[in-house]
Amino acid sequence: MLSRLLAAAVLAAPLLLAQAATAREAWSAPSAKETTKEQTTKEPSVAQSAARERQKKCGAEWRALSATEKAAQGPKWPQYYSKCVKRLKEQKA
């Protein structure tokens, strides 16, 4: 009985290895969604780039403020950011 089990295992081993190899290839190959997403990624618009720059500038200013200065400017980030964006837009215009 043991010899039959051993013979079956020896015969099935190449089949299992082939299945494992195809499964490994399937997991490593990029899907159609991934390749099309990378190909269709477009550059940000001028307005989006400007908004990102304003956010970076305001964030750097916010981090540079002390706790008392933050309280005077606006106690929370959203209020400070709103004022900062308005100020930067006015400076540019």
Side-chain angles (χ1 to χ4, degrees):
M1 174 133 176
L2 182 61
S3 61
R4 288 183 187 170
L5 289 175
L6 186 58
V10 169
L11 292 175
L15 179 62
L16 292 175
L17 290 175
Q19 288 175 343
T22 56
R24 203 175 313 117
E25 290 171 5
W27 279 102
S28 65
S31 67
K33 287 183 181 179
E34 290 174 356
T35 55
T36 56
K37 183 179 179 183
E38 291 172 1
Q39 293 170 352
T40 60
T41 303
K42 55 184 177 181
E43 295 294 319
S45 68
V46 175
Q48 289 172 331
S49 297
R52 287 180 186 156
E53 287 300 316
R54 284 192 299 271
Q55 186 176 19
K56 287 179 183 180
K57 287 179 183 178
C58 292
E61 290 175 13
W62 176 255
R63 287 187 299 275
L65 294 176
S66 67
T68 56
E69 291 172 329
K70 285 181 183 178
Q73 294 289 330
K76 303 201 185 261
W77 165 249
Q79 291 83 13
Y80 179 81
Y81 180 66
S82 177
K83 291 177 186 177
C84 182
V85 167
K86 287 178 187 175
R87 180 175 43 85
L88 290 175
K89 283 183 178 181
E90 288 174 0
Q91 286 178 356
K92 188 170 182 175

